[in-house]
Amino acid sequence: MMLETAFTPFYSLAGGALIGLAAVLLMLTTGRIMGATGILAGILQPTSLPDWSWRAVVLLGMISGPGAVLLITGQLPAVQVPVSTIMLVIGGFIVGVGVTFSSGCTSGHGVCGMARLSPRSIVATLTFMITTAITVYLIRHVIGV
Amino acid sequence: MRLIILYFIGLIFGVGISISGMANPARVLNFFDVAGAWDPSLAFVMGSALVVTFIGYRLVLKQPSPLMASNFQLPTRRDLDLQLIGGSAFFGIGWGMAGFCPGGALPALGTGRIEVLIFVTALISGIVVVKILKSIFSTRSLAQV
């Protein structure tokens, strides 16, 4: 199923700038990479209470994001899911397996690692951008779901 | 105090993700669907996040240490291995199926939508399964030594 979405360059530029600002502030305060995979994995497999608590609090802040947007704009951010539940489950599981092996996702490799010009992150980002595009093409235009 | 600051850093990330469109699978999938309902917004998200992080990291990493920790914890590996590339490729397949990546889905939990909860549960299952398998294999290889 395809849903048209409006092109919103200014919201996207502002959103991206805030994502970057959060990454810079986390590095400035804790010296850590702002990666969703790393933060989540560290919560699931804690090494110490201080290590667990900073991740849990950052995650709590992330989850408060839509609520803050609701307070400011009067609207929750749009979440339109054009795929079936089974695709969410299989896709989610595959994402979990993939990011555990690659040690990072769009935030950790795609933003923080690329900004450090890390060769591993550049290769990781190019790889997942290509396989995502191929998957979307196959699902929408070849299989035609 | 430290945890309050970290909460707000997570919140900035969550608001950024929310207004950028990264929490919206329809928009994410349309970004990758160049052959169909293409929505280029996410290029603006990645672009501005990268510019801000690139400049910010350069300023921050000139400091002798972070403000609330003894040292910066940056990944040091530079080698490219199968786990990185295969894991990234796998992540992209899942991202293309579901439309959520971890950094988009965690803030989206705050919208209370059941689809996000389903994706994140599957994501956590994938992470946990790989971690358990990895620990079984590493104990085995230790036992053989």
Side-chain angles (χ1 to χ4, degrees), chain A residues 10 21 23-24 32 34 36 40 42 48-49 52 69-70 76 82 91-92 98 103 105 117 121 128 140:
Chain A
F10 295 109
L21 177 65
V24 173
R32 299 284 190 146
M34 179 60 111
L40 183 60
S48 66
L49 183 64
W52 186 84
V69 170
L70 176 67
L76 272 176
S103 326
C105 54
L117 304 177
S121 292
F128 66 67
R140 289 194 171 176

Side-chain angles (χ1 to χ4, degrees), chain A:
Chain A
M1 184 172 68
M2 257 183 243
L3 287 173
E4 293 282 339
T5 50
F7 175 47
T8 55
F10 295 109
Y11 275 115
S12 293
L13 279 175
L18 288 177
I19 294 167
L21 177 65
V24 173
L25 289 175
L26 190 69
M27 185 61 74
L28 176 69
T29 52
T30 64
R32 299 284 190 146
I33 296 283
M34 179 60 111
T37 297
I39 287 170
L40 183 60
I43 290 173
L44 297 171
Q45 200 178 34
T47 52
S48 66
L49 183 64
D51 185 70
W52 186 84
S53 60
W54 79 261
R55 294 166 193 272
V57 168
V58 170
L59 177 64
L60 211 62
M62 287 183 185
I63 297 174
S64 313
V69 170
L70 176 67
L71 281 179
I72 298 164
T73 66
Q75 263 185 325
L76 272 176
V79 178
Q80 302 156 280
V81 183
V83 304
S84 62
T85 304
I86 190 77
M87 290 282 268
L88 281 178
V89 171
I90 299 173
F93 188 83
I94 293 177
V95 169
V97 171
V99 296
T100 309
F101 279 110
S102 67
S103 326
C105 54
T106 327
S107 46
H109 280 311
V111 175
C112 299
M114 294 257 287
R116 294 172 52 235
L117 304 177
S118 150
R120 281 174 61 83
S121 292
I122 294 169
V123 169
T125 306
L126 288 176
T127 305
F128 66 67
M129 295 298 266
I130 291 169
T131 56
T132 308
I134 293 173
T135 306
V136 171
Y137 183 82
L138 288 177
I139 290 175
R140 289 194 171 176
H141 301 288
V142 178
I143 306 170
V145 179

Side-chain angles (χ1 to χ4, degrees), chain B:
Chain B
M1 186 62 200
R2 176 175 176 270
L3 293 180
I4 295 171
I5 293 172
L6 290 171
Y7 173 82
F8 279 100
I9 294 175
L11 181 65
I12 294 171
F13 183 88
V15 170
I17 290 285
S18 297
I19 66 173
S20 71
M22 290 295 294
N24 187 354
R27 195 182 277 284
V28 171
L29 294 174
N30 284 351
F31 171 70
F32 286 102
D33 190 11
V34 181
W38 193 46
D39 175 356
S41 303
L42 293 198
F44 290 72
V45 182
M46 281 290 272
S48 71
L50 267 175
V51 169
V52 171
T53 311
F54 183 85
I55 297 169
Y57 270 12
R58 253 137 212 86
L59 298 172
V60 166
L61 294 173
K62 274 191 192 140
Q63 312 303 312
S65 68
L67 300 176
M68 304 184 332
S70 51
N71 51 297
F72 293 107
Q73 300 202 20
L74 300 172
T76 49
R77 284 180 63 179
R78 295 180 69 83
D79 61 307
L80 303 173
D81 64 339
L82 186 64
Q83 291 207 11
L84 176 81
I85 297 170
S88 299
F90 219 59
F91 160 46
I93 294 171
W95 196 16
M97 290 175 71
F100 282 117
C101 62
L106 294 179
L109 280 173
T111 61
R113 291 280 297 272
I114 186 76
E115 297 97 324
V116 187
L117 196 60
I118 293 171
F119 174 85
V120 172
T121 306
L123 166 73
I124 290 175
S125 317
I127 296 175
V128 170
V129 165
V130 174
K131 291 220 181 259
I132 291 172
L133 290 178
K134 273 190 168 179
S135 71
I136 292 173
F137 279 102
S138 65
T139 351
R140 266 201 200 149
S141 56
L142 279 177
Q144 283 165 359
V145 176

